[in-house]
């Protein structure tokens, strides 16, 4: 019995090691700096909600341009994957909302988050959301890197409130393997 248990244990470890080695994280190659944002102030005090509520995560797809090498189906599946991941995080993360006015910060956001475009409603991103995510494709990610992400905007409370996700368009995203990617 001990031998069978030992063999099963080794088998499970080998499977998990294989899964770990399938994809690498590309975040260590990202060289973005971050910008500390000013919270909206009322009477000289920062506007920070007292109550913890479910996190509201917004996505700005303005710079999420489909590469010509990527099929429309794969592009749609990647967007689906992003939306489903956000839904899962919103189920269990709670934060104190910090009201941040981004009026006049368009060029700063584009610069610090390395964006070509920014949504027209950018000044309200962090008034209605707690975090804003800017997905993009990165053709220079190594072949075995699924995606890389980092924050580029932080609040006065030192909490990240904006970040970029770079997705490798060379990987195959279809409805069959989307669930596999979500479980890694």
């Amino acid at each position: 019995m001990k031998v069978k248990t030992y063999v099963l244990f080794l088998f499970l470890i080998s499977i998990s090691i294989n899964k770990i080695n399938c994809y690498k994280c590309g975040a260590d190659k990202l060289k973005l700096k971050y910008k500390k944002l000013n919270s909206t102030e009322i009477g000289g005090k920062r506007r920070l909600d007292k109550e913890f509520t479910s996190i509201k995560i917004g996505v700005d797809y303005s710079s999420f341009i489909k590469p010509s090498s990527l099929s429309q189906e794969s592009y749609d599946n990647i967007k689906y994957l992003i939306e489903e991941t956000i839904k899962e995080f919103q189920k269990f993360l709670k934060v104190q909302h910090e009201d941040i006015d981004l009026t006049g910060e368009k060029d700063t956001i584009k610069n610090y988050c390395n964006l070509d475009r920014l949504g027209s409603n950018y000044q309200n991103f962090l008034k209605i959301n707690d975090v804003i995510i800017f997905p993009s494709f990165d053709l220079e990610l190594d072949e075995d890197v699924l995606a890389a992400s980092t924050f580029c905007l932080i609040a006065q409370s030192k909490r990240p409130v904006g970040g970029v996700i770079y997705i490798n368009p060379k990987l195959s995203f279809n409805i069959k393997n989307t669930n596999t990617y979500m479980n890694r």
Side-chain angles (χ1 to χ4, degrees):
M1 184 67 178
K2 284 185 177 184
V3 173
K4 286 182 182 179
T5 305
Y6 181 71
V7 170
L8 178 64
F9 178 72
L10 287 176
F11 176 71
L12 291 174
I13 287 179
S14 70
I15 290 173
S16 63
I17 289 173
N18 184 29
K19 281 191 171 190
I20 291 170
N21 289 329
C22 285
Y23 298 105
K24 295 179 185 174
C25 177
D28 58 332
K29 296 183 180 176
L30 301 178
K31 304 288 188 227
L32 292 181
K33 296 179 182 178
Y34 63 87
K35 168 70 175 160
K36 193 172 195 177
L37 301 169
N38 292 320
S39 301
T40 303
E41 294 187 354
I42 300 171
K45 293 188 177 186
R46 255 187 326 138
R47 167 78 169 80
L48 183 65
D49 286 354
K50 292 180 182 176
E51 297 293 320
F52 281 84
T53 57
S54 294
I55 192 168
K56 294 180 197 104
I57 303 171
V59 182
D60 179 12
Y61 287 108
S62 300
S63 291
F64 197 59
I65 310 301
K66 183 181 90 57
S68 59
S69 62
L70 193 66
S71 73
Q72 186 64 44
E73 180 187 10
S74 289
Y75 179 77
D76 293 340
N77 283 326
I78 294 168
K79 284 179 84 171
Y80 168 78
L81 181 63
I82 292 169
E83 295 298 327
E84 290 301 307
T85 302
I86 287 171
K87 285 179 192 175
E88 290 302 312
F89 276 102
Q90 289 180 143
K91 287 180 184 177
F92 63 86
L93 291 177
K94 294 194 179 287
V95 296
Q96 290 176 294
H97 179 75
E98 191 166 350
D99 200 356
I100 300 173
D101 184 5
L102 297 175
T103 304
E105 298 284 350
K106 187 173 190 171
D107 289 336
T108 301
I109 296 168
K110 285 171 63 176
N111 183 39
Y112 278 89
C113 297
N114 196 26
L115 303 171
D116 294 327
R117 300 181 175 116
L118 194 58
S120 59
N121 195 24
Y122 79 93
Q123 45 292 34
N124 293 317
F125 283 165
L126 296 174
K127 286 184 177 183
I128 58 177
N129 297 296
D130 300 302
V131 174
I132 187 72
I133 296 172
F134 305 102
S136 184
F137 289 102
D138 188 340
L139 297 168
E140 297 178 20
L141 287 175
D142 292 341
E143 197 170 296
D144 57 350
V145 174
L146 175 64
S149 65
T150 188
F151 65 92
C152 54
L153 305 171
I154 63 170
Q156 288 287 335
S157 61
K158 298 183 180 163
R159 178 174 57 90
V161 293
V164 293
I165 299 173
Y166 295 107
I167 296 170
N168 189 342
K170 295 176 244 171
L171 296 173
S172 172
F173 288 90
N174 59 48
I175 202 66
K176 290 179 183 174
N177 66 16
T178 297
N179 287 333
T180 302
Y181 288 133
M182 285 185 73
N183 290 323
R184 294 197 179 213

